[in-house]
Amino acid sequence: MPDELVVPPPAEFAAQANVGADEYARAAADPQAWWAEQARRLQWDEPFTTVFDGSTLPTAQWFTGGKLNVAVNCVDRHVAAGRGDKVALHWEGEPGDSRTITYAQLQDEVCRLANALEELGVGHGDRVVLYLPVLPETIVTTMACARIGAVVSLVFGGFSAEALRFRVEDTGAKLLVCTDGQFRRGNAVAVKGAADAAVEGLDHVEHVLVLRRTGDLTPDVPWTPGRDVWWHELVDRQPAEHVAPSFDAENPLFIIYTSGTTGKPKGLVHTSGGYLTHTSWSHWAVFDVKDDDVYWCQADLAWVTAHSYEMYGPLSNGVTQVIYEGSPLTPHPGRHFEVIEKYGVTIYYTAPTLVRTFMKHGPELPAGFDLSSLRLLGSVGEAINPEAWLWLHRNVGGGRCPIVDTWWQSETGAAVVAPLPGVTPLKPGSGTVPLPGLSATVVDEAGNEVAPGEQGVLVITKPWPGMARTVWRDHARFVTSYWEPYAAQGFYLAGDAATKDADGYVWIGGRIDDVLNVSGHRLSSIELESALVSHPRVAEAAVVGAPDATTGQRIVAFVILRGDGSSEVAAELREHVAQQIGPVAKPRDVVVVPDLPKTRSGKIMRRLMADMTAGRGGGDVTSLQDETALSAVETAWAQYVQSR
Ligand code: PRX
């Protein structure tokens, strides 16, 4: 735990904050009544009769009896309240094109697309997969699905055809929505071919809806007549009126895939009333959003960060947002600061890996832009190292902006450990304390709270409204992954090591499972190893995360080659992994080894290799099958490091 620097909320900020100091106590006095109060911030078509129903745990049910439409909550009700002319989205394209969309226009677009989806035969409960960049249409589609009760699943545009196919197949999607091409770091790249490969032979996919984005830059779009439909031909002729039905609070809203400890990503299912309550309230409280704010969450829309804090949260609060299509460094490293200046962004939610990238360019980079509009900063994805925190605070926030470091996960739906910016004193590197209404702590293996400063694991001790309800088509995995380890106590196991200090502040350590965090992206060792061994030259592979000054962790792959091994395969294997999963999953280091350290039962001991790449020696080797395997890997690693 770093030596403590405590940064209290600036008095001016505290004086105007949405949430005051009594909120922790108010929530603690009666958490269910308090959550019911937050749920009433939403528009219910029928009021809920029960706040929380624990009879189906670990699948909790919240706000049962209640009916609502999530899209109406995010769009229509702001128009109905006379705020139709308010800007919902300032969209900035990577090549520099831009569009501004008001809430009234957003409502029209969502209604048109809802009508279009219904014309395509998509209805309540059907799954729709989106393979789209950050475009207004991505948000329109997400909202249109919510409006008609279809379950949406967004897939990162940088994922490969194989990764997309897995998700299309696993969801059993009826519709895939994609673009002709995407802009990636200044280049127009065709993607329709990848979309076609992903759906080939999958009979459940009835249509592929194609939005034109790169146009003439990616000509000759492959086309399957009858299945493929151009967005502009179908959607533009639809009426802008659509009657929104009401759905149960527990109606599934979206499926988000995330890496676990097996080769197969898990599709976490989030539902409507509880998720929107948690997301909407926490967005309002943690980001302190006001009517005149210009809020920017820089995540890609396919990540959970964007689901909660770039779509459902900010839209439900009627906020004006900036969304940006491109890479932060295209066409120059100051692009984000340029966008902040252009739109007068007041709240900027970013990621530690990006802050560290900016740091390499020095304080001159942000100093070249007028960032005086900023009043609050946010961080998510991994623990932010105090040095990056202080750099961000000083050089981007001008020393005046609180930084809300938000700890949460795809599973939690929304923030769990995070400060209230007008109330909670900040400690750089800690997400501070659990939010009102949320109970998280650090425990040992037996489930007992550990003493201050002692390592344990982070658990959430009581069900909360935004929690995932199940793993799509694999409820058993939901139970074993998160709930079995502390079944006796009913705790949710988050998978992060953590400590709590004497003030109750939570400090996140590494993952306790074989999950890597690379630039805030979650990847599993086994998923990466499966990708590697699917290459004909690889006999066995072990993947570990090594510490990296910019990306937090970097991927190191140890591979045993088939036949006569040459070490010239690195580039080929990196490309292969990019094809299997996506460029984010490319191993930075590929080390050819003659053998891998295993336990007597044949399990690869990744921990020993992770220790080695981190320069930590002396791990427990008692369960090792054959010590020479470890020394062979150590020798190969030493040679590799020397030759780098
Ligand atoms: O290890 C924690 C880390 O990211 C994991 C969740 O990843 P994902 O489901 O992809 O969601 C990321 C965005 C919410 C966590 O188990 N993590 C996320 N935010 C933080 C963090 N670690 C420390 N501090 C954070 N603020």
Side-chain angles (χ1 to χ4, degrees), residues 304-305 381-383 405-410 496 511 517 522:
V304 75
T305 301
E382 60 181 303
D405 178 356
T406 57
W407 178 90
W408 58 293
Q409 307 178 297
S410 306
D496 286 331
R511 294 280 307 186
N517 188 329
R522 237 166 107 167

Side-chain angles (χ1 to χ4, degrees), residues 40 50 59 249 290 316 338 357 431 460 502 547 553:
R40 292 192 190 99
T50 309
T59 302
K290 304 283 197 290
S316 68
E338 184 178 76
T357 304
I460 305 179
Q553 283 190 311

Side-chain angles (χ1 to χ4, degrees), residues 5 65 101 160 219 251 261 271 282 314 369 380 410 454 528-529 578:
L5 169 69
I101 294 163
S160 66
N251 195 53
T261 46
T271 59
S282 59
F369 299 88
V380 68
S410 306
E454 256 175 48
L528 294 162
E529 289 160 6

Side-chain angles (χ1 to χ4, degrees), residues 236-267:
D236 294 357
R237 63 177 166 77
Q238 302 291 333
E241 290 80 40
H242 178 270
V243 179
S246 304
F247 297 105
D248 287 339
E250 285 297 342
N251 195 53
L253 183 62
F254 66 88
I255 301 172
I256 184 145
Y257 283 86
T258 193
S259 293
T261 46
T262 74
K264 209 176 117 194
K266 359 183 210 208

